[in-house]
Amino acid sequence: MIRLARSLRARARVSADAGLSLIELLVAIALTTVVTGLAVSLFAIGTHSVSLAQSVDGGTRQASNGMNQLARMLRAATPDPLANPPVGTPQNDPAIISASAQAITFYAYVNLSGGEAPVKVTYQVVGGVLQEWQYAATTTTAGVNGHWDFATAATSTRALCNSIPASTAVFRYFNKVGTELLPATFTDATSRGAITSVQVTITIQPTGAASAVTLTNTIGMANIGAGS
C-alpha cells in the first residue's frame, strides 16, 4: 500500500512537470492573438471616432464663430456720405464697395474700440481660408457732409474659418423685394446700392469627415436706408 501511494505521487509529479502540450500551447497562442487583435481594432475604431467627432465639432464651432462675426458686421453696414456730391445726384457711396461670390468689401459703423469712427472691412476666401481685413478711418471726426476716408493698408487681419472647399460660393446678394442680384451686374454705385441683404453660406470640410459642415444665414443690412 505504501509503495502504491508513492508510485501515484511520483506519477503526479511527472504529470505536473510535463506542462502544456504543443497543441494546448498553439491553441493558447491563437486565442491570445485573436483577443489582442480585437482589442487593438476596437481601440483604433474608438480613437478614430473620437478624433472624427472632435474634427466635426471644431468645424461646426469655426463655422458658427465666422457666421456670427460676418452677421455682426453686415448688420452694421452703412453708406459713406460723399464729400461734395453734386445737387440731384446720390449723396452716399453705397455700403457695399465690391461684391463677388467669394469676397465682399463694405463700410460698417460699429463700435469696435469705444469710438464712433466706422471701418472698411473685407471678407474673402483665400486658399480655403475665410479671412477678414479691417481698414480704420484716417480721420478722428467726419469730414464734409459726414464723409470718411480709410487707410489703404489693413489695420487688422485675421482668419475666421479654415478648410473651405475650393470654388464654394460664400456670398449671394438680394434686393429689397428678394430678387437675387448677380455679382456680374455690380458695375456701378447704383447697382451695388440695390443690395439690401446678403446670404452667407459657410461650408467647412472637417478632416476625415465624409460630409461637410454648412451654415447658411441671410443677413439684412438695416442701416443702409433708402438712399444707399
Side-chain angles (χ1 to χ4, degrees):
M1 181 65 68
I2 294 174
R3 289 180 178 176
L4 179 59
R6 289 176 178 174
S7 177
L8 290 174
R9 284 197 295 273
R11 290 180 180 179
R13 284 196 298 271
V14 170
S15 178
D17 293 341
L20 297 174
S21 67
L22 179 60
I23 294 177
E24 291 172 331
L25 180 61
L26 292 175
V27 170
I29 291 173
L31 289 175
T32 301
T33 302
V34 171
V35 172
T36 301
L38 287 174
V40 170
S41 177
L42 289 174
F43 177 77
I45 292 172
T47 300
H48 176 71
S49 297
V50 170
S51 177
L52 181 58
Q54 290 176 338
S55 180
V56 172
D57 180 64
T60 302
R61 283 188 283 107
Q62 265 198 74
S64 178
N65 292 339
M67 182 66 76
N68 289 340
Q69 175 63 10
L70 271 164
R72 171 175 175 265
M73 298 299 285
L74 277 168
R75 290 192 184 101
T78 309
D80 186 25
L82 296 173
N84 294 291
V87 176
T89 63
Q91 301 296 296
N92 301 315
D93 193 14
I96 294 180
I97 303 165
S98 63
S100 69
Q102 290 196 309
I104 184 172
T105 299
F106 55 93
Y107 304 113
Y109 283 70
V110 292
N111 190 355
L112 298 177
S113 59
E116 296 300 324
V119 295
K120 184 175 74 173
V121 60
T122 294
Y123 294 97
Q124 183 174 359
V125 178
V126 180
V129 180
L130 179 60
Q131 298 184 341
E132 176 192 79
W133 292 267
Q134 290 189 15
Y135 305 79
T138 55
T139 54
T140 57
T141 57
V144 178
N145 199 38
H147 173 76
W148 292 89
D149 291 311
F150 297 88
T152 55
T155 50
S156 69
T157 62
R158 63 172 166 167
L160 296 182
C161 305
N162 300 318
S163 304
I164 296 179
S167 302
T168 298
V170 178
F171 304 105
R172 296 172 65 191
Y173 307 93
F174 299 85
N175 63 14
K176 61 184 179 182
V177 296
T179 302
E180 183 171 3
L181 306 173
L182 300 179
T185 65
F186 303 145
T187 57
D188 54 25
T190 301
S191 58
R192 288 183 283 112
I195 301 170
T196 59
S197 63
V198 180
Q199 185 182 88
V200 180
T201 300
I202 297 180
T203 301
I204 295 178
Q205 181 61 60
T207 302
S211 301
V213 174
T214 300
L215 295 182
T216 300
N217 188 15
T218 299
I219 303 159
M221 296 183 294
N223 293 344
I224 62 174
S228 65

